[in-house]
């Protein structure tokens, strides 16, 4: 069982930066990849970024590549999403999840409650 809690969302202006944090706990945290997904109003929940547990390999959605950076600190059971050059298309609820490395929602077993990110222009 893994518990996942996101934090760090807020209201920012276009071009600004924001860093999200995701704290995970539980006996099965070791070995899990961590992913970030987001859901805009009226849209589906989409993949943003993922990071592997064993070698820190990362992958990003094309829309955020070169702007966002995912990282993790296994000693702290925490994953981060550094978001730069934010624009209105980045607005949405951001979810952190623990599971297997990949881009698909079904690969992730444990989900946080979400944190709202709003980018104004």
């Amino acid at each position: 069982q893994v518990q996942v809690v996101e934090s760090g969302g807020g209201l920012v202006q276009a071009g600004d930066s924001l860093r999200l944090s995701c704290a995970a706990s539980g006996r099965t945290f070791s070995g899990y990849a961590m992913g970030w997904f987001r859901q805009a109003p009226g849209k589906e929940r989409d993949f943003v970024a993922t990071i592997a547990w064993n070698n820190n390999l990362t992958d990003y959605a094309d829309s955020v590549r070169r702007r966002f950076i995912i990282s993790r600190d296994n000693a702290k059971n925490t994953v981060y999403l550094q978001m730069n050059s934010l624009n209105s298309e980045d607005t949405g609820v951001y979810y952190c999840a623990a599971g297997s490395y990949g881009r698909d929602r079904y690969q992730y077993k444990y989900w946080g409650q979400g944190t709202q990110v709003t980018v104004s222009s």
Side-chain angles (χ1 to χ4, degrees):
Q1 184 67 36
V2 175
Q3 294 79 47
V4 180
V5 179
E6 308 95 334
S7 62
L11 174 63
V12 298
Q13 294 186 347
D16 210 343
S17 298
L18 198 63
R19 189 174 80 159
L20 306 182
S21 298
C22 173
S25 62
R27 61 179 178 84
T28 61
F29 177 78
S30 179
Y32 282 102
M34 301 296 294
W36 286 97
F37 293 77
R38 68 187 181 188
Q39 187 167 18
K43 303 292 185 179
E44 301 296 322
R45 188 174 301 185
D46 293 327
F47 169 77
V48 175
T50 187
I51 184 167
W53 168 80
N54 59 343
N55 56 12
N56 280 347
L57 288 177
T58 59
D59 193 21
Y60 299 90
D62 289 343
S63 59
V64 307
R65 197 182 304 274
R66 295 178 294 278
R67 296 190 297 119
F68 290 10
I69 301 172
I70 188 171
S71 61
R72 71 185 297 165
D73 185 340
N74 286 353
K76 297 181 179 180
N77 290 343
T78 301
V79 63
Y80 306 95
L81 186 68
Q82 177 66 46
M83 305 184 294
N84 301 312
S85 300
L86 288 164
N87 58 65
S88 61
E89 299 300 316
D90 297 316
T91 292
V93 178
Y94 282 69
Y95 297 89
C96 180
S100 57
Y101 184 82
R103 292 168 165 255
D104 297 317
R105 291 161 56 186
Y106 71 86
Q107 296 178 277
Y108 296 87
K109 299 180 180 179
Y110 306 102
W111 293 81
Q113 82 289 347
T115 185
Q116 176 70 43
V117 173
T118 303
V119 184
S120 63
S121 60

